[in-house]
Amino acid sequence: MFQTLYSYFWWERLWLPANLTWADLEDRDGRVYAKASDLYITLPLAFLFLVVRHLFETYVATPLAGLLNVKEKIRLKATPNAVLEKFYAATTKHPKQADVEMLSKKSGCSVRQVERWFRRRRNQDRPSLLKKFREASWRFTFYLIAFIAGMAVIVDKPWFYDLREVWKGYPIQSMLPSQYWYYMIELSFYWSLLFSIASDVKRKDFKEQIIHHVATIILISFSWFANYIRAGTLIMALHDSSDYLLESAKMFNYAGWRNTCNNIFIVFAAVFIVTRLVILPFWIMHCTVVYPLDLYPAFFGYYFFNFMMVVLQSLHIFWAYLIIRMAQKFITGKVVEDERSDREETDNSEEEEEAAKNGPLSNGHPVLNNNHRKTD
């Protein structure tokens, strides 16, 4: 049965145009072609990425955070309460008013105290500013290096300037060593993102991020199997062109450098919209949808690849909507922040009263004001 499924999965008509077989893509005369077995190395490389990331965040990002004066806000901790903790862990972190009143009776706390307890408890679970900064630093570093490397791989190729060259001689297109390593590193990185997504900073687009990572892994893998390597390198470089800008804007935002953050964000927004909403659909997707039909009839792989491209493009439209909302806030003079972020909640009752009398307090200690802004 396994052999039957294996045969169906690798049936040439799924992956290659008519009248072509896997035998046509066997290495010969010094020409090397992409093979599915090449991708096995990406899984151990993904775990290697996780190790490198840990070392980078510990020995590079953390000292950098200190240099940029990234400081934590001192959070008020929720007092231990078994009744409220059990409800928080087992039922919901956001109780309704009826739940609050019920918990008030069970715990012996007032309604206001229960509401305050849940606000503080949710804040305790939110990622620290240092964690956000370290994650952004790691992604910034990878995306910047990947973009530079990607451009080095494709800038001297004829298909970078003439998209019809992408399909010249397809699928009998041999693979270059630079293309091999570009693919292996990119795919390994996205595997590592998928493996670490549960422990990374969770934002409002958590589900969309999972869809994006899965779709990206499928697209990269499929383009390798079907020898869509030329198109694949163009698509990966296009995506990396804006990602490092977003991560650098986040880094300066966490450090309090608002002017720098806002300026970089505007550049990022412009690059994102041009690359993801103009170049990708009207140049790259036109190249993958229209040009191949001049060479061979449509087959399953053609439809599948372009369907996954549509999935990615839908996510780009969703993120462009968030970016435009953030840009509007910038234009109107409001503070720009990540629309996907889970905002920290503040207390509005006893803390304000204590602050008016004794100055801000946190668990009996003065609170340092870390909300200052740096100017460039």
Side-chain angles (χ1 to χ4, degrees):
M1 180 178 176
F2 176 80
Q3 186 62 39
T4 302
L5 292 175
Y6 182 86
S7 300
Y8 277 122
F9 183 81
W10 292 112
W11 185 36
E12 287 93 345
R13 296 290 70 78
L14 293 179
W15 304 94
L16 300 174
N19 301 323
L20 287 167
T21 67
W22 294 118
D24 297 316
L25 297 179
E26 292 180 356
D27 299 346
R28 61 172 65 88
D29 301 327
R31 297 169 65 90
V32 179
Y33 299 92
K35 304 175 189 63
S37 59
D38 295 333
L39 301 188
Y40 292 154
I41 195 176
T42 61
L43 292 177
L45 282 179
F47 287 104
L48 180 60
F49 262 118
L50 294 177
V51 174
V52 173
R53 172 180 175 175
H54 175 73
L55 296 174
F56 176 89
E57 291 183 350
T58 302
Y59 297 107
V60 178
T62 300
L64 180 61
L67 290 174
L68 293 177
N69 205 26
V70 176
K71 292 183 178 180
E72 293 292 347
K73 293 180 180 179
I74 299 177
R75 296 172 176 174
L76 297 168
K77 294 184 178 180
T79 56
N81 188 303
V83 174
L84 301 182
E85 185 66 38
K86 181 179 179 181
F87 187 91
Y88 180 88
T91 306
T92 180
K93 298 179 181 180
H94 299 271
K96 297 179 180 178
Q97 188 59 36
D99 295 325
V100 171
E101 294 173 358
M102 178 268 292
L103 290 169
S104 174
K105 295 176 182 178
K106 283 188 176 182
S107 63
C109 302
S110 68
V111 169
R112 178 172 292 183
Q113 287 173 329
V114 172
E115 292 172 340
R116 186 182 302 116
W117 188 93
F118 274 91
R119 282 196 298 270
R120 294 180 180 178
R121 185 66 182 82
R122 286 192 294 267
N123 282 340
Q124 284 179 224
D125 283 350
R126 290 189 170 90
S128 67
L129 201 62
L130 179 58
K131 178 179 174 63
K132 292 179 179 180
F133 180 87
R134 286 161 45 139
E135 181 179 308
S137 299
W138 165 247
R139 296 191 183 197
F140 162 76
T141 302
F142 175 82
Y143 288 135
L144 179 60
I145 294 174
F147 175 63
I148 295 173
M151 291 303 297
V153 169
I154 63 176
V155 73
D156 61 339
K157 306 300 186 294
W159 52 86
F160 181 72
Y161 304 95
D162 182 2
L163 292 178
R164 289 190 177 275
E165 291 287 330
V166 168
W167 305 106
K168 186 176 181 180
Y170 178 84
I172 313 299
Q173 297 173 337
S174 57
M175 174 187 62
L176 300 174
S178 59
Q179 293 172 325
Y180 170 85
W181 285 111
Y182 188 33
Y183 257 81
M184 297 305 109
I185 291 172
E186 285 276 353
L187 183 55
S188 300
F189 178 75
Y190 279 103
W191 273 120
S192 73
L193 290 184
L194 191 62
F195 294 156
S196 65
I197 197 167
S199 59
D200 286 344
V201 176
K202 290 184 176 62
R203 294 183 169 85
K204 294 177 182 178
D205 63 345
F206 178 73
K207 293 180 180 178
E208 288 81 5
Q209 284 286 350
I210 294 177
I211 295 172
H212 173 268
H213 295 341
V214 172
T216 301
I217 289 170
I218 292 174
L219 262 175
I220 294 175
S221 301
F222 177 83
S223 65
W224 185 261
F225 297 159
N227 213 25
Y228 275 39
I229 295 176
R230 293 181 181 179
T233 53
L234 292 174
I235 294 168
M236 290 188 293
L238 185 74
H239 281 74
D240 291 335
S241 66
S242 61
D243 289 340
Y244 71 91
L245 292 170
L246 175 61
E247 300 303 331
S248 62
K250 290 180 185 178
M251 292 169 61
F252 285 111
N253 180 47
Y254 301 144
W257 296 47
R258 303 299 184 192
N259 292 337
T260 303
C261 168
N262 293 342
N263 291 333
I264 294 176
F265 174 78
I266 290 302
V267 176
F268 158 73
V271 174
F272 184 94
I273 290 172
V274 170
T275 56
R276 309 290 181 94
L277 300 186
V278 179
I279 295 178
L280 185 65
F282 297 106
W283 271 271
I284 303 298
M285 290 184 68
H286 182 266
C287 169
T288 61
V289 172
V290 176
Y291 294 164
L293 299 181
D294 294 337
L295 303 174
Y296 54 80
F299 62 106
F300 172 80
Y302 164 86
Y303 291 115
F304 181 78
F305 182 85
N306 286 296
F307 169 76
M308 296 306 299
M309 289 291 293
V310 170
V311 171
L312 273 186
Q313 187 59 38
S314 300
L315 292 172
H316 295 158
I317 293 171
F318 168 75
W319 283 319
Y321 164 73
L322 298 181
I323 291 168
I324 291 171
R325 284 181 56 180
M326 294 165 70
Q328 288 176 335
K329 290 184 179 182
F330 174 81
I331 293 170
T332 55
K334 297 181 181 179
V335 177
V336 174
E337 60 179 318
D338 194 342
E339 284 286 339
R340 304 171 301 157
S341 296
D342 191 11
R343 295 176 179 83
E344 189 158 329
E345 300 168 275
T346 57
D347 294 330
N348 298 314
S349 50
E350 292 180 357
E351 290 76 14
E352 292 177 351
E353 295 173 8
E354 290 186 54
K357 294 177 183 178
N358 307 315
L361 297 177
S362 173
N363 300 324
H365 300 285
V367 176
L368 297 176
N369 180 13
N370 294 328
N371 295 325
H372 61 281
R373 296 186 182 183
K374 296 180 183 177
T375 55
D376 308 316

